[in-house]
Amino acid sequence: MTARLLIGAGAMGGAMLDGWAAEGRSDLHLWDRRAADRAGVARLTAIADAAALPRPLAVVLAVKPQAAPEVLAALRSQLRPGDLVVSVMAGVGLAALRRGLGEGPDLVRAMPNLAAALGRAVVALSASPALPLARRAEAMALLRALGALVWVEESEMDAATALCGSGPAYFFRLAELMAQAGEAAGLPATAARQLAAGALISAGALAQTADVADARRAVTSPGGATAAALARFDHEGRLAALTAEAVAAAAERAAELARELETLTP
Ligand SMILES: NC(=O)C1=CN([C@@H]2O[C@H](COP(=O)(O)OP(=O)(O)OC[C@H]3O[C@@H](n4cnc5c(N)ncnc54)[C@H](OP(=O)(O)O)[C@@H]3O)[C@@H](O)[C@H]2O)C=CC1
Ligand SMILES: O=C(O)[C@@H]1CCC=N1
């Protein structure tokens, strides 16, 4: 069984630990500056301790992209040929990971989301075309407990980040605004929040069983209340335009993180 080392246990790393805990794994190691201790997870006192971990070793990098140069530099000399490094850092490309970590480890990029804690994320994956299938399978085995896996080209990773990494926040924002609008329409604040969040949960559940366009059509009675709302959303294509603009902004920010990293990399 491959030992696992997670570096960075903030929001995303913590969610992955929760997802793996549900798998009942006993070979989890963690390095983080200050995350709380967790049952069943062995804390390293320094990244340098990674050298002594059992092999084969899979390292998952979940620090902020801005911390990448420092963390990659500390990790580089601790890795051995055959180690697998999976990075969930937005905007940190395979080339930057390779420069930072050297030729030893095999590399995979992954873009999960916070539903990894519940095993309900969708995770975009990319790797060099030269990465053998067996190593891809190892990365998939590592991430399977976190949710559904979708391979994309590395050139598509920023767009994938804008959808699956950031995407949950878009729906949460809409639910926040729906709650505000519900209150303005006369509901008590608590009920408005419960109903808006409930609608989000209901939509998520339905989206698991049907194509989203079909599900939308099923909700929309001809001439009914939903149709009235959707007509406003779609008036002159404004929701489509706004959504396209927002997704492009997220993808562009991921690309920009990569450019910023170039200036940080020694
Ligand atoms: N949040 C999300 O929904 C998603 C995040 N990601 C990616 O996951 C990564 C982590 O994001 P997120 O969990 O939100 O961020 P957080 O800031 O919540 O977590 C980062 C963690 O790494 C720790 N850390 C360890 N070493 C360092 C170091 N040398 N410098 C800085 N931090 C360090 C931080 O410690 P400290 O608290 O002391 O700074 C913190 O615990 C990012 O690269 C992001 O792009 C990907 C998909 C979704
Ligand atoms: O906002 C971010 O940059 C990270 C990546 C996707 C979700 N959170």
Side-chain angles (χ1 to χ4, degrees):
M1 184 185 275
T2 305
R4 296 177 184 181
L5 167 62
L6 174 70
I7 297 184
M12 192 61 243
M16 290 192 287
L17 283 177
D18 288 344
W20 289 325
E23 265 189 316
R25 304 222 25 142
S26 57
D27 55 354
L28 294 175
H29 304 267
L30 167 66
W31 185 81
D32 187 277
R33 299 197 281 216
R34 56 175 156 235
D37 287 335
R38 284 173 173 254
V41 179
R43 295 275 305 254
L44 272 54
T45 54
I47 292 182
D49 296 344
L53 292 178
R55 260 51 185 195
L57 179 66
V59 182
V60 179
L61 294 174
V63 296
K64 289 285 185 199
Q66 293 80 358
E70 176 189 338
V71 169
L72 298 182
L75 186 61
R76 182 183 180 117
S77 56
Q78 316 310 322
L79 295 173
R80 299 193 196 148
D83 286 345
L84 178 68
V85 175
V86 176
S87 166
V88 305
M89 295 184 288
V92 183
L94 290 170
L97 292 170
R98 180 61 72 206
R99 263 197 316 280
L101 294 174
E103 292 305 315
D106 284 322
L107 303 177
V108 171
R109 284 185 68 189
M111 184 48 58
N113 63 42
L114 289 187
L118 311 166
R120 305 286 288 274
V122 58
V123 187
L125 291 168
S126 65
S128 157
L131 187 72
L133 277 180
R135 302 253 69 192
R136 289 171 187 260
E138 284 174 45
M140 292 170 76
L142 177 73
L143 299 168
R144 192 164 289 127
L146 309 182
L149 308 178
V150 178
W151 285 94
V152 300
E153 300 295 328
E154 211 217 345
S155 58
E156 298 162 348
M157 211 53 186
D158 292 337
T161 300
L163 290 189
C164 72
S166 306
Y170 314 157
F171 293 108
F172 297 144
R173 184 69 184 126
L174 186 59
E176 286 179 87
L177 294 172
M178 283 168 57
Q180 285 171 23
E183 212 181 324
L187 282 164
T190 304
R193 277 200 304 276
Q194 287 172 331
L195 293 173
L200 172 58
I201 293 163
S202 302
L206 290 167
Q208 288 197 298
T209 63
D211 172 78
V212 291
D214 290 341
R216 170 180 52 77
R217 280 189 282 270
V219 177
T220 311
S221 309
T226 314
L230 291 178
R232 295 303 180 95
F233 279 134
D234 289 333
H235 181 65
E236 293 181 348
R238 58 188 174 183
L239 185 63
L242 185 60
T243 305
E245 193 183 319
V247 168
E252 172 50 28
R253 179 62 189 139
E256 195 175 68
L257 284 169
R259 291 193 292 274
E260 288 172 10
L261 192 66
E262 295 295 321
T263 64
L264 290 175
T265 308

